[in-house]
């Protein structure tokens, strides 16, 4: 999720009663939630904005899990305003990376660049993404998810820089 809006988890359009948020007292750590066991079959997981004045942008994923004895675990590692340097060099993020490691992830999803384009060069950004990839435990597949170009960023130079970053 992008922005500090709280997000709700729905499975098969049923609200699971959990709010994931990137906003916290120290903006560190993450939010962990695991579903109850699900019936056999295909299920759709949605993460949608919770009652908030902020706009939440969700990079959606549909999980299909054939193991009826395991639910879905969703880890929202987003941090409002965080950029690649924040995830690589900000000391309180050590707790974030410990949490990520403890999750035994099946897939790590990294959304790219919305908070980086305004103040980093393309080279700094790509080096920062490499640093994030190195922090994910070896053997865990990583999906790099192209983001969106913020409408408030330099309309003349923005699209070319964004294309290079993506």
């Amino acid at each position: 999720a992008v922005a500090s809006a709280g997000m709700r988890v729905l499975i098969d359009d049923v609200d699971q009663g959990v709010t994931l948020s990137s906003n916290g007292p120290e903006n560190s750590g993450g939010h962990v939630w695991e579903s109850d066991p699900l019936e056999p079959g295909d299920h759709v997981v949605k993460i949608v904005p919770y009652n908030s004045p902020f706009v939440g942008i969700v990079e959606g994923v549909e999980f299909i899990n054939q193991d009826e004895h395991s639910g879905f675990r969703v880890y929202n590692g987003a941090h409002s305003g965080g950029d690649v340097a924040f995830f690589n060099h900000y000391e309180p993020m050590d707790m974030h990376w410990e949490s990520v490691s403890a999750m035994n992830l099946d897939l790590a999803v990294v959304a790219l660049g919305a908070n980086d384009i305004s103040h980093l060069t393309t080279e700094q950004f790509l080096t920062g993404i490499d640093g994030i990839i190195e922090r994910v435990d070896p053997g865990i597949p990583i999906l790099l998810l192209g983001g969106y170009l913020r409408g408030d960023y330099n309309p003349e130079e923005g699209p070319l820089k964004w294309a290079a970053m993506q």
Side-chain angles (χ1 to χ4, degrees), residues 39-134:
E39 295 295 321
D42 295 342
H43 298 278
V44 176
V45 176
K46 295 179 184 176
I47 303 173
V48 298
Y50 185 72
N51 187 14
S52 170
F54 294 100
V55 175
I57 306 268
V58 177
E59 306 296 349
V61 176
E62 182 176 312
F63 298 91
I64 299 173
N65 187 339
Q66 300 303 318
D67 181 0
E68 69 272 12
H69 298 296
S70 69
F72 293 97
R73 180 179 297 162
V74 177
Y75 178 82
N76 177 359
H79 294 273
S80 181
D83 61 10
V84 293
F86 180 85
F87 281 91
N88 281 305
H89 304 294
Y90 185 55
E91 186 176 336
M93 290 306 291
D94 290 343
M95 184 173 74
H96 166 86
W97 291 110
E98 289 171 15
S99 296
V100 169
S101 183
M103 293 298 300
N104 298 317
L105 298 174
D106 293 320
L107 174 68
V109 179
V110 179
L112 304 176
N115 292 328
D116 301 285
I117 191 167
S118 67
H119 63 281
L120 295 179
T121 66
T122 300
E123 293 75 23
Q124 289 170 324
F125 171 72
L126 295 175
T127 298
I129 290 296
D130 287 343
I132 288 171
I133 290 170
E134 290 171 8

Side-chain angles (χ1 to χ4, degrees), residues 7-29:
M7 307 302 272
R8 296 179 298 128
V9 176
L10 287 78
I11 298 179
D12 301 327
D13 290 323
V14 175
D15 193 325
Q16 300 299 299
V18 62
T19 302
L20 305 174
S21 177
S22 63
N23 207 6
E26 294 182 14
N27 207 24
S28 61

